[in-house]
Amino acid sequence: MSNLAAPTRLPRTHYPWLDRLLTPARPRVGDLMHLCEENYARLRRLAPDLPRWRGDYRSSGADGMDLHLEVIEQSRYTSLLRLTYFFPHGDGLAHRLPQADPDALLRAYHDARQVEILDLRQTALPLHKHYRSPALEAKWRANLFLAKWLAYCLRSGHHFDPEA
């Protein structure tokens, strides 16, 4: 008889994405669609009235960094937006604009309740700049990065409020 207890599993509220989605042997289209739905739900928690917003918004979270949301375009069923942090350049030179990292261009499909990454620039993970064959796996990696980033932003207390 062993005194070892069975390993306990963390509750889903602590670990915001499904274990099976973290490292699929080969992602399927259905897995990607599910991840895009989860990302949309997270995005709407950050920006609850997103379909009605236009312009620039800022959120200050417990992480000490301001998260920036730019709503570039609105249509009946979609929003085109940019989500980013801005950092000072580390080279000691004067720059006109701060460095955006990560910098994600997203299209939110409100009728389908999904968000798609149109462009992602970041330095934390080795992702390809452009989607290459196989496109599904590259899109999976980019959307998984977005899922982790959005979950981090929510845990850090970020929330966009147009009245603030």
Side-chain angles (χ1 to χ4, degrees):
M1 220 172 176
S2 172
N3 288 339
L4 295 175
T8 58
R9 199 175 164 113
L10 293 175
R12 183 175 281 167
T13 56
H14 179 74
Y15 203 67
W17 38 81
L18 299 174
D19 290 338
R20 69 177 182 81
L21 295 180
L22 282 176
T23 54
R26 197 167 178 108
R28 299 176 311 220
V29 172
D31 295 330
L32 179 60
M33 304 261 310
H34 182 74
L35 188 56
C36 291
E37 290 169 359
E38 288 181 353
N39 286 345
Y40 181 83
R42 285 185 192 95
L43 179 63
R44 288 302 299 269
R45 285 177 53 205
L46 283 172
D49 294 324
L50 178 63
R52 291 182 264 188
W53 294 354
R54 293 183 188 278
D56 298 326
Y57 302 91
R58 186 179 65 178
S59 168
S60 297
D63 58 4
M65 291 296 302
D66 287 344
L67 182 64
H68 296 267
L69 173 70
E70 177 188 5
V71 181
I72 300 167
E73 176 184 293
Q74 289 283 18
S75 68
R76 184 173 181 180
Y77 299 109
T78 65
S79 299
L80 179 65
L81 53 115
R82 180 170 303 283
L83 188 65
T84 192
Y85 285 117
F86 288 117
F87 292 96
H89 291 267
D91 58 9
L93 301 174
H95 293 272
R96 194 170 57 94
L97 298 173
Q99 179 177 341
D101 190 12
D103 186 26
L105 181 65
L106 309 171
R107 181 163 317 273
Y109 298 92
H110 304 295
D111 55 338
R113 290 181 164 76
Q114 293 194 350
V115 66
E116 171 187 23
I117 296 177
L118 302 177
D119 189 36
L120 175 63
R121 290 181 169 86
Q122 53 78 39
T123 58
L125 295 174
L127 297 173
H128 297 292
K129 182 176 178 182
H130 299 290
Y131 294 140
R132 292 190 180 106
S133 183
L136 179 62
E137 289 182 26
K139 287 181 180 183
W140 173 260
R141 286 191 301 275
N143 280 282
L144 186 58
F145 176 86
L146 179 63
K148 291 179 180 184
W149 182 28
L150 291 173
Y152 170 79
C153 291
L154 288 167
R155 282 193 315 272
S156 296
H158 285 287
H159 184 267
F160 293 102
D161 182 2
E163 304 300 319

